[in-house]
Amino acid sequence: MNTSKYREQNMNIINIYTGLLFSPQQAFAQALRLKVVTLFFPLAAALVITALLNTYYYAAVDMPWLLERMVADIPDDQKQTVLDSLSKGRLLGISLVGVLFLTVSINLFRAFIYWFVLKVKGEAQRFIRLFAIVMWSTAPLLLILPAGVLNIYLSTGQGMLPNDVNPVSLNQLFFKLSGDSDWGQLLSTFSLINIWEIFLIIIGLKLATSLSIKQSFTIALLPELVIYGLWVTSLLL
């Protein structure tokens, strides 16, 4: 009986996660009724999806080409030393650690901004509940895995930088800057998936609070404005 109930709960969580792509309001309403501990499912999913994409990238990429790009700006007398310290396994390991750190830290930062702003507005919510809203809103990452894998596959035999894997980033769609340039790196980190995630956060905030859609929209944008505002400022200075 307990096993059946456990399986039913797991299926419910998976259905909610995928439902956020097709019926976001209904799915989010269900997600917010779950225990907040269930946020570890979308958190784990985000980590696994990104880790799988990174693993496939390093398995498929032209490593000699990638290493040459990585040491292009290093003085000739130091290049071989740097190349000797790099390997596919080491680069993959570094990328996976980066996935863990960035996924957790950036989404915690988003939740903190929402918690702080809502507290100031008199709409105080538990931090963990806001973190759950942020993590459930990462459901569109599901689409990045097949899209990214296809992008890597179609680029087999050609050079592809890690920042170019996401085919729906602003850089890939519109600007076409080198993925290792300053502006190319910035534009590669924001994509249609981010816009979709913000849309889901707006729904989550609206359902969890008494905020209007306009207020939810404004608050949902704040972390991105802070992150990218600081990044753009650093590039302009």
Side-chain angles (χ1 to χ4, degrees):
M1 185 70 176
N2 288 338
T3 301
S4 176
K5 186 177 180 180
Y6 179 73
R7 287 177 179 171
E8 183 180 340
Q9 183 181 28
N10 284 346
M11 286 304 299
N12 188 39
I13 291 172
I14 294 171
N15 289 338
I16 289 171
Y17 188 68
T18 55
L20 286 164
L21 302 177
F22 310 107
S23 183
Q25 185 136 346
Q26 181 180 352
F28 232 129
Q30 291 179 290
L32 291 174
R33 287 196 292 268
L34 297 174
K35 294 179 179 178
V36 291
V37 71
T38 56
L39 71 85
F40 287 105
F41 176 81
L43 173 58
L47 291 171
V48 169
I49 290 168
T50 314
L52 286 174
L53 196 53
N54 275 262
T55 301
Y56 180 65
Y57 169 78
Y58 283 105
V61 72
D62 182 346
M63 281 303 295
W65 176 88
L66 178 61
L67 292 174
E68 280 300 315
R69 287 295 297 264
M70 292 178 70
V71 300
D73 296 328
I74 295 176
D76 291 340
D77 59 337
Q78 299 176 26
K79 280 186 179 181
Q80 193 56 50
T81 302
V82 175
L83 286 171
D84 290 342
S85 69
L86 298 175
S87 67
K88 182 180 292 189
R90 178 169 291 184
L91 290 174
L92 175 58
I94 292 170
S95 75
L96 294 180
V97 171
V99 164
L100 176 61
F101 175 76
L102 289 174
T103 300
V104 174
S105 61
I106 289 176
N107 288 305
L108 281 173
F109 174 75
R110 286 176 175 139
F112 173 77
I113 293 292
Y114 300 147
W115 173 83
F116 179 78
V117 173
L118 290 173
K119 189 175 180 66
V120 170
K121 285 184 65 65
E123 287 275 359
Q125 296 284 324
R126 286 187 300 158
F127 177 83
I128 193 72
R129 182 173 172 82
L130 294 169
F131 187 47
I133 288 174
V134 171
M135 291 316 308
W136 281 110
S137 297
T138 61
L141 282 174
L142 271 174
L143 304 180
I144 276 294
L145 183 58
V149 167
L150 180 61
N151 194 26
I152 294 168
Y153 177 77
L154 293 176
S155 299
T156 301
Q158 307 173 37
M160 172 180 274
L161 293 166
N163 287 330
D164 296 332
V165 169
N166 184 350
V168 293
S169 71
L170 294 187
N171 192 43
Q172 287 290 290
L173 290 174
F174 305 113
F175 296 94
K176 310 295 184 183
L177 300 175
S178 174
D180 53 3
S181 67
D182 290 341
W183 288 99
Q185 290 180 53
L186 184 151
L187 293 167
S188 294
T189 63
F190 196 85
S191 71
L192 298 184
I193 297 298
N194 296 81
I195 296 173
W196 199 340
E197 289 176 350
I198 291 170
F199 169 72
L200 290 177
I201 290 172
I202 293 169
I203 293 175
L205 290 175
K206 179 69 174 64
L207 290 171
T209 68
S210 60
L211 296 174
S212 66
I213 284 290
K214 183 178 179 180
Q215 290 172 320
S216 298
F217 173 78
T218 303
I219 293 173
L221 283 180
L222 287 177
E224 315 309 312
L225 293 176
V226 172
I227 293 170
Y228 287 98
L230 290 174
W231 196 343
V232 168
T233 300
S234 71
L235 293 181
L236 294 175
L237 293 178

